[in-house]
Amino acid sequence: MRSYPPQTPDREYDIGDDMQIKLKKTKKRKKQKNRSLLTALIFTVFFAFLVLLRFAVFDKSVSFWRQQGLDARSDMNLIIGTEAVGGGIIKNSGIFYIALDTVKEYIDPNIYYNPDSGRVIITTDTSVLRFRADETSYLLNDAETELNFPVLNDEGSIYLPVETVESIYGYGETVFGSGIFSLDPTDTPQGRLTKKTKLLIRAGSRDHYAKLPKDTEVYFYSSEENYLLVKCLNDGEYGGYFGYIPEENAVITKTPSAEESENTVWKPNGCIDLVFDQISNAAGAAMTMSENYKGVNVFCPTWFSFEDKGGEIINRANKDYVNWAHENGCKVWGLLTDNFDSSVSHAVLSDDETRNYAIKQILTYAKMYELDGINIDFEAVPKADGEQWVQFMRELAPLCHQNGLVLSCDLFVARPWNTHYNRQKIGETADYVIVMGYDEHYRGSTEAGSVASMDWSREALNGTVNAGVPVEKIILGIPFYTRIWTEGEALESKAYSMDAAYEIMSENGADISFDESTEQDYAEYTDSEGRHRCWLETTNTAEARTRIAKDGGAAGIAAWKLRMESGDTLAAIADILAE
C-alpha cells in the first residue's frame, strides 16, 4: 500500500533549483544567437565593402571625373592627350575656344603674349604667327592672313579658337557625349582592343578598373612594363577615358606617317672652321680678300649694329667680300651686335614691334648681300629681358630657315650670372651656338691671368653641354689674341696678336716657361713701369683647343679674331679638323 505524500528523498527537494537550470539554458541560447547575428553582420558589412570597393568607384557619372580631378557638374571637361586639364575650354557663339594659359602649359611653353600690345606670337620651325585679340586678321611670316574666328580677350584672359590651335600644332578634337572635350596629336597611333579588357586607371594611391568591350577604338600613347597607355575613342560610357591595358589585348590599326622637317641646316664636309672678321669699312674687307686662309670655311664679318634704341640697323656689308668668299668655297655669316649696350639690347628685345623691325632689316640685308647665315652677338642682355631674348631668337629662326639662312648666336661660358641667356631654349632654336671660350681674364679683371686656360676651354664646351645645348650644335670659340698685363701703380692690360705679344716679351728679355696650371707658355719681365706678365697664345695652344672641340664632339671652332693668328695657325687647325 502506497503512502501519501511520497517518501522524501535523502536530499530535501527545492523547486527553485529547477528554475535556475532553465534560466541558465535560456542565457546560453541567447549568447549563441547573438554570436550568430554578429557574425552575419560582420560578413554582410565586409561583403558590402568589397562590392563598394569594386563597383562604387566607377559610378558612370562621377567616378572618372573624381579620380582625374575633373568637375562632373561642368558641361565640358578638357583632356589634352592623357592630361586631365578640366577647365580651359569655353564655347562662344557655337565655337570652341581654349585658354592661352592652357596652351602654354600643355601644348606650347613658348607661346608668347604681351598684355601691353595685346599681341600673341606663336613660333614654329617654319613660321612666325602674330595675332591681336578681337581681330580676324593675323600675320604669317609678315604676310597678312585671315582667321575664321578672332582671338578672344575675356576680361584680360586670352582664348584662341580651337581650330586655330589644331591647325598650328597638329591636333584633332573629339567631343564625347559624356562631356569630355579631347585634344590629341594627329600623329598619335590608333588601334582597337582584340578582347574584353580591363582599363587600369591610376589615380591617387589606388588603382581602379573599367571594363572595356572588344573592338573598343583607342589611341596609343606609350608603353610601360608590358602595358599600353591608351585613350578610349568610342562615344560610350568610357569615351575619353585613359589608362593602361595589357599590350597583348590590342592591335595598331593606323600609324600616321611623321612629316619630315623642311629645315635642313647647312653642314660642311667635316667640321666648321670659322673666323670672326672685325671689319668696319671697305679697306678692312679688301685686306681680308688679299689673303689665302687655309681650311677656313665660314667668315663671320662684324657688319651690323644698331644706330639707336629704335632698332635701326647700321649696315657695313660688302658684296665684293661675299662674292670673294663664295668663289673660294666659303660661307659668310653676317654678325649683328647689340653694341655691348644693355639699354639698346633692352629697347630692341622688350618691344614686339622693335624686335620685328630689327628682324625684317637683317633679313633684307641677308637677301641683298646673298649671305649664308646670320650670327647674333648680344652680349649685354639685361637679366630682366631673358624671356624676350629667347623670343627674339624664336621669331628670327623660322624666317632665317624660310630664306635658307643658318642662324647662330654667341654665348658666354656658362656662369650663374648669365643663366638668363637660357642656353637650353637657345639650343633648341638656333642652328649653332658659339660659346665664347675666352675672356677668362679681361681688361676689367682685378688680377692678371690667362685669356683662356685649357681648363677654361674645356669648361666652355662641357658647361654648355650641361646647360642643355646639344654638343653637335656647339662651336667652341678660341682666342687668337692674348693680353700683356702690367702690374704697376694700377693693374692694366692690352690685347695683342700672337706674334706681337711674343715679340714684345722676347725683346724685353722675358723669361718664358711652360705653366702647368694653364697649359700655356708664360712670360714675365720687370722694368720701371712694374711687372709685365703674359700667358702666350701660340699655334700650339690653338691646336690644343681645337683638339678639345674635336675630341668633345663639337661642330667645330670659331676664332676671335682674324689676322691675330701666327702664320701657321690656320693650317694647323685645319689639319686637326680634317682628321
Side-chain angles (χ1 to χ4, degrees):
M1 180 175 189
R2 301 187 60 177
S3 60
Y4 298 91
Q7 186 177 357
T8 301
D10 296 339
R11 181 179 64 84
E12 186 177 352
Y13 180 79
D14 187 345
I15 191 171
D17 290 342
D18 189 42
M19 293 183 67
Q20 289 178 9
I21 293 171
K22 289 181 178 180
L23 286 172
K24 289 180 179 179
K25 290 181 177 179
T26 300
K27 288 180 179 179
K28 185 176 181 180
R29 284 195 296 268
K30 284 183 177 180
K31 286 183 178 179
Q32 291 175 340
K33 184 176 181 180
N34 288 341
R35 285 198 195 97
S36 298
L37 289 173
L38 181 60
T39 301
L41 180 61
I42 290 172
F43 275 108
T44 301
V45 171
F46 182 68
F47 181 74
F49 173 75
L50 290 178
V51 171
L52 287 173
L53 185 64
R54 174 64 180 85
F55 296 106
V57 294
F58 268 94
D59 182 289
K60 295 176 182 177
S61 61
V62 178
S63 60
F64 181 76
W65 312 92
R66 182 171 64 247
Q67 292 170 37
Q68 300 299 338
L70 304 177
D71 185 0
R73 297 167 296 180
S74 174
D75 293 334
M76 194 61 59
N77 277 272
L78 175 63
I79 297 178
I80 300 177
T82 56
E83 295 283 351
V85 180
I89 193 85
I90 64 172
K91 201 171 186 179
N92 183 285
S93 301
I95 305 302
F96 285 109
Y97 286 82
I98 184 170
L100 183 143
D101 289 343
T102 301
V103 175
K104 189 175 185 69
E105 182 174 358
Y106 294 96
I107 297 177
D108 179 10
N110 297 305
I111 191 170
Y112 179 84
Y113 173 61
N114 186 335
D116 295 330
S117 65
R119 180 78 76 183
V120 176
I121 302 175
I122 297 174
T123 55
T124 69
D125 289 342
T126 57
S127 305
V128 180
L129 304 95
R130 302 173 186 272
F131 305 87
R132 282 193 190 277
D134 303 319
E135 294 183 4
T136 55
S137 63
Y138 71 102
L139 296 177
L140 173 60
N141 293 351
D142 283 328
E144 189 166 315
T145 312
E146 290 297 316
L147 284 170
N148 291 327
F149 310 102
V151 173
L152 293 183
N153 186 339
D154 184 11
E155 298 181 353
S157 297
I158 304 300
Y159 289 85
L160 304 176
V162 168
E163 72 166 30
T164 301
V165 172
E166 292 173 343
S167 174
I168 294 171
Y169 297 108
Y171 275 74
E173 70 184 66
T174 308
V175 182
F176 295 99
S178 58
I180 291 177
F181 189 100
S182 177
L183 279 177
D184 299 276
T186 54
D187 60 357
T188 307
Q190 192 171 330
R192 62 176 177 81
L193 303 185
T194 57
K195 61 173 70 174
K196 291 181 181 180
T197 303
K198 288 182 179 179
L199 179 72
L200 168 62
I201 297 178
R202 291 179 173 172
S205 59
R206 281 216 312 259
D207 292 342
H208 306 291
Y209 295 86
K211 289 183 178 180
L212 300 180
K214 180 183 177 182
D215 294 326
T216 297
E217 297 290 327
V218 295
Y219 276 135
F220 295 110
Y221 269 94
S222 64
S223 61
E224 179 182 331
E225 297 179 357
N226 300 320
Y227 278 82
L228 297 172
L229 176 59
V230 301
K231 177 188 282 187
C232 303
L233 299 179
N234 291 23
D235 193 13
E237 59 183 288
Y238 298 128
Y241 285 27
F242 57 87
Y244 291 87
I245 63 170
E247 62 183 12
E248 67 270 14
N249 291 1
V251 294
I252 294 177
T253 58
K254 182 181 178 182
T255 305
S257 57
E259 295 184 6
E260 294 185 5
S261 172
E262 297 180 10
N263 174 35
T264 302
V265 179
W266 170 81
K267 293 182 179 180
N269 183 21
C271 296
I272 291 175
D273 190 349
L274 179 149
V275 289
F276 288 104
D277 194 1
Q278 190 176 26
I279 51 178
S280 57
N281 50 42
M287 187 180 300
T288 298
M289 290 185 286
S290 66
E291 300 292 337
N292 179 29
Y293 304 98
K294 179 182 177 181
V296 173
N297 50 31
V298 180
F299 288 88
C300 190
T302 59
W303 276 340
F304 306 107
S305 59
F306 288 100
E307 182 175 351
D308 52 38
K309 297 177 184 178
E312 192 73 37
I313 290 178
I314 299 172
N315 167 33
R316 301 184 182 89
N318 185 304
K319 189 64 168 61
D320 290 337
Y321 182 108
V322 177
N323 292 340
W324 165 83
H326 288 170
E327 288 169 3
N328 286 275
C330 298
K331 304 293 184 181
V332 179
W333 297 355
L335 181 149
L336 172 64
T337 177
D338 62 355
N339 304 7
F340 308 97
D341 186 334
S342 60
S343 64
V344 170
S345 188
H346 171 74
V348 172
L349 296 176
S350 62
D351 183 77
D352 301 343
E353 300 303 328
T354 308
R355 277 199 315 270
N356 192 34
Y357 179 50
I359 289 171
K360 285 181 177 180
Q361 291 176 84
I362 197 65
L363 291 175
T364 298
Y365 289 133
K367 185 175 182 180
M368 182 185 303
Y369 292 98
E370 298 182 6
L371 302 181
D372 305 290
I374 299 296
N375 175 257
I376 303 300
D377 185 47
F378 280 24
E379 298 188 31
V381 176
K383 286 187 177 181
D385 293 324
E387 181 181 357
Q388 285 73 28
W389 151 249
V390 173
Q391 185 63 24
F392 172 71
M393 291 295 290
R394 288 188 61 83
E395 291 171 16
L396 177 57
L399 301 179
C400 280
H401 298 155
Q402 185 186 47
N403 288 275
L405 298 169
V406 174
L407 176 61
S408 65
C409 70
D410 308 329
L411 296 181
F412 298 106
V413 176
R415 281 292 181 271
W417 63 267
N418 59 40
T419 56
H420 62 288
Y421 277 87
N422 204 324
R423 288 163 178 77
Q424 181 173 351
K425 287 191 175 182
I426 294 300
E428 295 169 356
T429 304
D431 298 316
Y432 294 105
V433 171
I434 299 175
V435 54
M436 297 179 288
Y438 29 81
D439 281 349
E440 180 179 7
H441 294 85
Y442 54 97
R443 185 173 59 183
S445 292
T446 57
E447 64 178 11
S450 171
V451 165
S453 64
M454 288 302 154
D455 280 345
W456 185 255
S457 291
R458 296 183 187 99
E459 188 174 349
L461 178 59
N462 296 333
T464 306
V465 172
N466 293 337
V469 181
V471 69
E472 64 272 13
K473 282 190 171 188
I474 298 174
I475 301 173
L476 179 61
I478 68 174
F480 278 175
Y481 70 98
T482 187
R483 287 188 173 277
I484 295 179
W485 300 83
T486 300
E487 297 174 342
E489 293 182 1
L491 179 65
E492 297 177 350
S493 73
K494 186 177 179 180
Y496 291 92
S497 68
M498 290 182 178
D499 292 343
Y502 183 82
E503 289 172 5
I504 290 172
M505 302 308 285
S506 297
E507 289 172 358
N508 285 277
D511 293 325
I512 301 176
S513 60
F514 186 73
D515 178 19
E516 297 281 351
S517 63
T518 61
E519 301 174 54
Q520 295 174 266
D521 286 338
Y522 170 75
E524 177 182 322
Y525 72 91
T526 302
D527 62 13
S528 60
E529 295 180 356
R531 183 167 67 153
H532 303 272
R533 310 173 69 191
C534 182
W535 286 261
L536 295 166
E537 287 297 328
T538 64
T539 294
N540 288 340
T541 62
E543 286 179 311
R545 300 184 202 284
T546 303
R547 182 70 64 189
I548 289 171
K550 177 77 171 180
D551 294 348
I557 61 98
W560 181 270
K561 61 181 178 173
L562 192 62
R563 291 185 292 279
M564 297 194 85
E565 73 279 1
S566 294
D568 59 347
T569 304
L570 292 177
I573 289 173
D575 289 342
I576 292 174
L577 293 178
E579 291 178 359

